[in-house]
Amino acid sequence: MRAAHRAIVTETNKDHPIFWFWSYAQKPLFSQANVLKLAPGLTATTIQNWANRSIVNALIEMKEVRGRRYYDSIQVRRIVLGQRLIDDFDLHPAKAMLLIDYANLAVIDAWTDDAIAGAKTPDTKMPIKMEWIEQYWFVRAPEIKNSVAVKASGLAGAIKKLGASIVIPYGRDLTELAARAKKLYEDGRNED
């Protein structure tokens, strides 16, 4: 059984921004205007171009309501966190968003592996704490298959071992994005 299937969310975690954000993984909830608020520096034209070229929605069908596009939290994560890689490392948008997907998978695997490390049997389900995710960094190795997610305490060793070319404080960035997205959504609902 994979680690992610052995980790459980407790009631106390359900208010955490990460839990909220992931619960909208395939529910188009964010208008283009919302995405622009979460990704300062981006333009509507850029987001439209990425969507038209299937860079943003490579795996997910775009939802349109009355001719307006709506994005789910997976697409928002790709756009907002990918934009930083485009700006900081001059990556092509498709590569930046793919790297964000790799980072997401690596961090979730490391996070859940650590959460179940204390289990007495291989089938034991263990509670997971959402705030733990903030500790994880993604270290991209020259060969993507060798990339890893590590806690900050292991960061220097991983960089030295892998000769990393890109290091992302992914857990912190994702938590911050989730908190801003949740607040934006809740503020918008309160205005209705």
Side-chain angles (χ1 to χ4, degrees), residues 111-170:
W111 178 42
T112 54
D113 283 347
D114 287 349
I116 64 160
K120 294 184 175 148
T121 69
D123 295 333
T124 303
K125 291 204 178 251
M126 297 294 289
I128 192 164
K129 295 188 179 191
M130 294 293 173
E131 58 273 8
W132 290 350
I133 198 167
E134 295 175 35
Q135 304 171 42
Y136 291 93
W137 290 62
F138 177 70
V139 181
R140 188 208 185 276
E143 284 192 41
I144 193 71
K145 67 182 179 191
N146 296 330
S147 299
V148 296
V150 296
K151 288 184 179 176
S153 59
L155 190 56
I159 292 169
K160 188 175 180 181
K161 178 181 175 187
L162 297 173
S165 56
I166 296 177
V167 179
I168 307 167
Y170 187 78

Side-chain angles (χ1 to χ4, degrees), residues 21-109:
F21 196 66
W22 282 341
S23 68
Y24 291 101
Q26 293 186 344
K27 297 175 186 166
L29 179 65
F30 301 95
S31 68
Q32 183 169 287
N34 294 140
V35 176
L36 291 170
K37 288 177 185 175
L38 294 169
L42 270 182
T43 65
T45 303
T46 300
I47 294 174
Q48 289 168 349
N49 286 339
W50 290 349
N52 291 342
R53 289 194 224 143
S54 295
I55 292 172
V56 171
N57 55 325
L59 302 174
I60 301 160
E61 188 174 321
M62 185 68 63
K63 171 84 172 171
E64 288 195 25
V65 177
R66 292 185 298 276
R68 298 177 73 195
R69 289 185 173 138
Y70 283 82
Y71 301 83
D72 61 32
S73 65
I74 293 171
Q75 294 161 329
V76 169
R77 173 179 50 84
R78 286 179 181 146
I79 294 167
V80 176
L81 300 181
Q83 179 61 31
R84 183 179 298 157
L85 296 177
I86 294 163
D87 291 344
D88 294 350
F89 298 99
D90 200 28
L91 293 179
H92 183 276
K95 189 170 185 175
M97 292 181 198
L98 182 61
L99 195 56
I100 290 299
D101 287 341
Y102 275 118
N104 194 64
L105 293 172
V107 166
I108 289 171
D109 277 350

